[in-house]
Amino acid sequence: MPHKLALIGFGTVAQGLVEILLRKEQELRDRHGMEFVVVAITDPIKGSLYDPSGLDLSAVMNSLESSGSLGQYPKSQDTTTGWDSFLTIDQCGADTVIEATYTNVVDGQPGLDHCRAALRSGKNVVTTNKGPIALAFDELQSLAARHGARILFEGTVMSGTPVLRLAATTLVGNEIRKVRGILNGTSNFILSKMDEGMAFDDALGEAQRLGYAEADPTADVDGYDAQYKLQILAHAVFGTRIAREEIARTGIRQITPQQIAQAKTEGRRYKLIAQLENTASGMRGSVAPEALAMDDPLSAIHGAMNAISFDCDLSGDVTVVGPGAGRLETGYALLVDCMNLVRHNV
Ligand code: HSE
């Protein structure tokens, strides 16, 4: 039986997933015994399609390329158009809803209500949207449990680089005492470019052009994005919650070219460090620029790359380095969650 997906939001990340499904269709079937069909796609700008027997994904991408929308998709008598996101979630009959709308750092909407609607109707949710998970993790988990569904969100932290599942599975049995990382690609890209002599605004512009930055880059450069990711890590790694205001936050705006040059002469390099520590008096979290010594593994992370170190009581310090954004990378995070849903494990 194919596993039916509905894509809510059809931006870069969901398009990345479609590209992967097209590319890997045969391998997924032959090697993993898995078949995914996309029965619905809905996007407020690009339009909506629903076909209960599955959309032709090549035709979807052709339509997008030729017109920038789903309007050129060759419709059959089984194709329905024009459904909004909530009608799609309600009517699509999918096993899993892929929530890939933009991250809203204020109230998590509309992603949060999409997740609620999907879980209430017994559908699984796979999402890369940080807002709903950071703001309403407990509520969404209990909704999922109550309705016999699951919610997976590997791509919310470091996109397709394994972080959440790594902590939950591979590092299981350790007590993880602290996590420390570079969790925002845009700010790391800017700091790396400033290290090469580029001005802050030019580097930010380039990060925006390359598609790393959030819709509002304030979230990246002022540390809110990393704060959100720490909130998600508090749930996923430590099984606890930390309020956003409890995470001290300083961004990178105030770092001057002079400070960067001075750090260089001292053999140091500025990085925006996000950390979370499980202490006897509760969780302690912070996001702040630090001038790291060159023997710190995080000092060698350049450009939009991300990294995270887990301080484990048994396996010692484990550091994972990898992309934290990108069309295929984040699309892959959606795929890996879908594959794990189908395997019914993690
Ligand atoms: N804007 C984010 C970053 C994208 O720069 O890391 C992934 O969350």
Side-chain angles (χ1 to χ4, degrees):
M1 275 280 275
H3 191 89
K4 294 181 182 173
L5 306 175
L7 310 186
I8 310 301
F10 199 45
T12 313
V13 172
Q15 290 169 36
L17 176 64
V18 166
E19 200 177 318
I20 293 168
L21 291 176
L22 280 167
R23 201 198 284 185
K24 297 269 180 175
E25 183 184 2
Q26 193 173 342
E27 189 183 328
L28 285 166
R29 196 172 35 238
D30 296 350
R31 189 158 163 217
H32 302 285
M34 293 181 193
E35 194 182 344
F36 294 101
V37 293
V38 175
V39 293
I41 302 176
T42 181
D43 184 280
I45 294 162
K46 299 180 187 77
S48 295
L49 292 169
Y50 165 68
D51 185 327
S53 52
L55 297 166
D56 174 345
L57 295 183
S58 299
V60 164
M61 294 315 279
N62 288 341
S63 171
L64 202 60
E65 264 156 45
S66 62
S67 64
S69 78
L70 300 173
Q72 300 299 312
Y73 181 82
K75 296 161 197 72
S76 74
Q77 59 190 27
D78 294 328
T79 316
T80 304
T81 59
W83 285 355
D84 71 10
S85 54
F86 290 100
L87 196 56
T88 302
I89 291 168
D90 191 49
Q91 299 288 315
C92 67
D95 302 296
T96 297
V97 164
I98 306 289
E99 211 296 327
T101 61
Y102 63 94
T103 291
N104 172 343
V105 293
V106 179
D107 61 7
Q109 299 294 10
L112 179 53
D113 279 346
H114 291 154
C115 294
R116 287 174 173 144
L119 295 172
R120 281 195 190 113
S121 67
K123 297 176 182 74
N124 304 303
V125 172
V126 166
T127 187
T128 51
N129 190 337
K130 288 161 282 214
I133 307 300
L135 293 171
F137 177 90
D138 291 333
E139 179 203 331
L140 294 174
Q141 289 292 351
S142 70
L143 257 185
R146 212 170 328 133
H147 295 277
R150 300 187 60 201
I151 177 161
L152 297 180
F153 45 90
E154 180 66 56
T156 55
V157 181
M158 284 175 64
S159 68
T161 305
V163 173
L164 307 182
R165 194 167 281 109
L166 178 80
T169 61
T170 316
L171 295 176
V172 72
N174 280 296
E175 182 199 342
I176 299 176
R177 296 172 290 213
K178 183 173 167 182
V179 295
R180 178 171 173 270
I182 293 172
L183 302 181
N184 183 265
T186 301
S187 53
N188 202 51
F189 180 86
I190 293 171
L191 290 174
S192 300
K193 287 288 174 196
M194 286 176 76
D195 205 40
E196 293 165 16
M198 194 183 264
F200 178 94
D201 286 337
D202 294 339
L204 173 58
E206 200 169 325
Q208 287 177 301
R209 267 194 304 284
L210 291 166
Y212 306 134
E214 297 295 303
D216 175 0
T218 302
D220 297 298
V221 298
D222 290 338
Y224 295 104
D225 179 70
Q227 240 184 351
Y228 257 39
K229 289 168 179 165
L230 286 183
Q231 285 188 281
I232 295 171
L233 287 165
H235 289 297
V237 177
F238 297 103
T240 188
R241 71 180 296 281
I242 184 165
R244 185 143 50 121
E245 41 299 349
E246 290 175 89
I247 302 173
R249 178 192 51 79
T250 311
I252 61 165
R253 264 186 226 273
Q254 83 290 358
I255 304 273
T256 62
Q258 292 73 20
Q259 279 174 295
I260 287 188
Q262 175 64 29
K264 229 177 192 173
T265 64
E266 293 165 7
R268 292 180 174 271
R269 200 174 267 147
Y270 271 100
K271 296 288 169 193
L272 184 66
I273 299 298
Q275 59 183 2
L276 200 57
E277 193 171 359
N278 201 3
T279 72
S281 55
M283 294 305 291
R284 260 215 307 261
S286 63
V287 176
E290 281 180 35
L292 302 182
M294 294 300 181
D295 60 357
D296 187 315
L298 297 182
S299 74
I301 310 303
H302 296 300
M305 213 50 123
N306 283 193
I308 189 166
S309 296
F310 296 93
D311 170 1
C312 306
D313 65 338
L314 302 177
S315 53
D317 252 0
V318 174
T319 300
V320 188
V321 180
R327 176 185 170 98
L328 279 187
E329 294 84 345
T330 317
Y332 168 70
L334 294 171
L335 176 75
V336 82
D337 277 347
C338 288
M339 291 180 74
N340 278 287
L341 267 180
V342 170
R343 290 204 300 214
H344 288 299
N345 51 15
V346 283

